Amino acid sequence: MLRLPFPHLSKKERKTLMAFLVLLFFIAVTVWFPSTVVAGDLPVFREAPAFRNGRECLRTTKPSVIHIAMTLDGTYLRGSVAGVFSVLQHSSCPENIVFHFIVTHRQLELRRIITNTFPYLNFHLYHFDSNLVRGKITYSIRRALDQPLNYARMYLADLLPASVGRIIYFDSDLVVVDDVAKLWKINLGNHVLGAPEYCHANFTNYFTAKFWLNSEHAAAFKGRKACYFNTGVMVIDLEKWREGKYTERLEKWMRIQKRNRIYELGSLPPFLLVFAGDVEGVAHRWNQHGLGGDNLKGVCRNLHPGPASLLHWSGKGKPWLRLDAKKPCPLDSLWAPYDLSRHSSLFSDNGSRRRKHWRR
């Protein structure tokens, strides 16, 4: 039993002093070992290695800065951290990357977690007011699609400073296995948005019969060769977005949806209504999506034919949940090495990076 060296203190005073010393101990642990502190129900992560620019990076007075936007919340935090780690792991110039994280709550906790996990990361946090969309959201086929943060991608032009004229948006359930600079450098031409397109998909399935029976609504696609694209990977010209007031155009369809129920898939259909047929096509390798299965069962999927630069577990099944449940799909093993919550990193003993471009 611990005996305090203050025999003159009363029993009550000694208890008070003991409680004070315990408090000091936990404060010291928080200051000196912040990565070991659990933020409520949020995951705890190992500190990622420092990533430095390679020799191929141009040594100029104004280096090419890559801006990437992602959302952060407790539910998908493990996926977000894995995504950031994967981007840095495969980047030739990781010090030139700036992350812009969008959050709705727990901003201080999330900032501390990112800082402790990636001490050298250049990042900013922005608060997204859920009230902007709460009255415009209708229920969809999956609860995760109804969360306000799922709609934050519509407001990037408003959330980010005007000095950011171009952004890559990434979902929180993907990993990048190639140099993100290749995606950043694509030429958008006159388009506001670039993304892999899938013109073979049955486009009519993304909207209800009520939509197609309304000639005014259906006319939205008149004169356009509308193709499906996944909004989890997008390159966006924010300057053109602001000039064209595209957030207002998306909100218009959300209000129509609230009245008439013209679709079932959360934030995706408004993007299709506004942009489909007017998207700069990006190579399919930059979004090997659907690895989480469909939106109902989350069954295992295979890679699409061809090379892959980005693996995306869109759909109901998330790799961290399946791995924890010890019921992983085969492709979940490709996500696991980036999971800083419990897996060793993709580094050799001498600290050198091992970069891989995935091919099927």
Side-chain angles (χ1 to χ4, degrees):
M1 180 178 177
L2 177 65
R3 293 184 180 276
L4 295 175
F6 303 105
H8 62 283
L9 296 179
S10 67
K11 186 175 182 180
K12 183 177 180 181
E13 289 172 330
R14 278 181 285 181
K15 285 185 176 179
T16 302
L17 180 59
M18 176 62 80
F20 178 70
L21 291 174
V22 171
L23 177 62
L24 284 179
F25 170 76
F26 280 107
I27 291 174
V29 169
T30 302
V31 172
W32 293 105
F33 306 101
S35 62
T36 65
V37 178
V38 179
D41 59 339
L42 297 178
V44 180
F45 301 96
R46 294 183 294 103
E47 181 180 316
F51 293 89
R52 301 303 185 189
N53 284 354
R55 294 179 180 178
E56 60 268 41
C57 300
L58 296 176
R59 303 293 183 180
T60 62
T61 55
K62 189 177 181 181
S64 177
V65 178
I66 298 173
H67 295 277
I68 299 175
M70 298 179 73
T71 59
L72 291 180
D73 69 346
T75 304
Y76 283 83
L77 183 58
R78 200 162 149 194
S80 298
V81 168
V84 173
F85 184 36
S86 72
V87 170
L88 299 174
Q89 163 75 23
H90 295 281
S91 174
S92 57
C93 303
E95 293 178 275
N96 295 355
I97 299 174
V98 179
F99 280 89
H100 302 265
F101 297 117
I102 316 300
V103 303
T104 55
H105 61 289
R106 306 180 77 167
Q107 187 167 340
L108 292 178
E109 292 173 279
L110 292 169
R111 178 183 293 277
R112 185 182 67 188
I113 287 174
I114 295 298
T115 300
N116 293 339
T117 307
F118 303 102
Y120 305 96
L121 189 68
N122 189 353
F123 76 93
H124 305 281
L125 247 66
Y126 307 86
H127 176 257
F128 177 63
D129 185 0
S130 299
N131 293 321
L132 283 173
V133 295
R134 200 175 296 280
K136 305 181 185 77
I137 296 176
T138 56
Y139 68 90
S140 62
I141 61 174
R142 205 172 99 234
R143 186 177 179 183
L145 302 177
D146 303 337
Q147 302 308 307
L149 199 57
N150 190 44
Y151 291 80
R153 69 195 79 191
M154 296 180 176
Y155 295 87
L156 294 176
D158 300 323
L159 291 168
L160 274 57
S163 58
V164 180
R166 183 184 177 102
I167 196 80
I168 295 175
Y169 175 81
F170 281 153
D171 267 351
S172 297
D173 53 0
L174 57 79
V175 293
V176 177
V177 293
D178 201 345
D179 191 344
V180 74
K182 298 176 184 177
L183 179 61
W184 176 257
K185 292 175 181 176
I186 69 164
N187 184 1
L188 291 178
N190 294 322
H191 299 289
V192 177
L193 186 152
E197 292 183 290
Y198 303 89
C199 296
H200 63 277
N202 187 347
F203 200 78
T204 59
N205 290 342
Y206 294 101
F207 301 92
T208 64
K210 185 180 290 187
F211 172 85
W212 295 110
L213 290 173
N214 185 309
S215 58
E216 185 178 346
H217 296 343
F221 294 115
K222 187 176 181 180
R224 288 194 277 165
K225 184 184 177 182
C227 298
Y228 163 78
F229 66 95
N230 181 280
T231 58
V233 178
M234 297 184 289
V235 183
I236 302 172
D237 186 324
L238 292 179
E239 294 179 354
K240 287 189 174 69
W241 184 293
R242 295 177 182 117
E243 291 171 2
K245 298 182 178 180
Y246 281 92
T247 297
E248 294 178 14
R249 301 189 195 190
L250 294 165
E251 288 181 325
K252 167 197 164 186
W253 284 109
M254 291 174 67
R255 286 192 289 270
I256 292 174
Q257 159 73 355
K258 193 75 173 178
R259 296 193 304 267
N260 299 324
R261 190 72 182 173
I262 57 174
Y263 55 78
E264 307 282 351
L265 283 171
S267 63
L268 169 64
F271 272 91
L272 296 179
L273 285 160
V274 173
F275 292 106
D278 192 19
V279 171
E280 178 63 32
V282 176
H284 288 178
R285 67 184 302 152
W286 282 105
N287 196 351
Q288 283 267 357
H289 67 289
L291 303 186
D294 59 20
N295 281 303
L296 298 176
K297 296 181 179 180
V299 296
C300 296
R301 293 270 181 87
N302 294 320
L303 287 175
H304 305 294
S309 294
L310 184 149
L311 308 174
H312 187 186
W313 278 261
S314 58
K316 185 177 181 180
K318 303 306 174 188
W320 57 92
L321 297 178
R322 296 194 294 216
L323 287 164
D324 285 353
K326 302 190 185 307
K327 296 180 180 179
C329 291
L331 292 180
D332 294 344
S333 63
L334 301 180
W335 181 90
Y338 302 99
D339 183 8
L340 287 176
S341 69
R342 60 177 182 170
H343 285 278
S344 59
S345 62
L346 293 177
F347 285 77
S348 60
D349 293 338
N350 62 10
S352 62
R353 287 179 291 182
R354 298 205 303 262
R355 223 176 276 147
K356 295 181 180 179
H357 295 180
W358 293 96
R359 286 185 177 272
R360 190 181 178 190

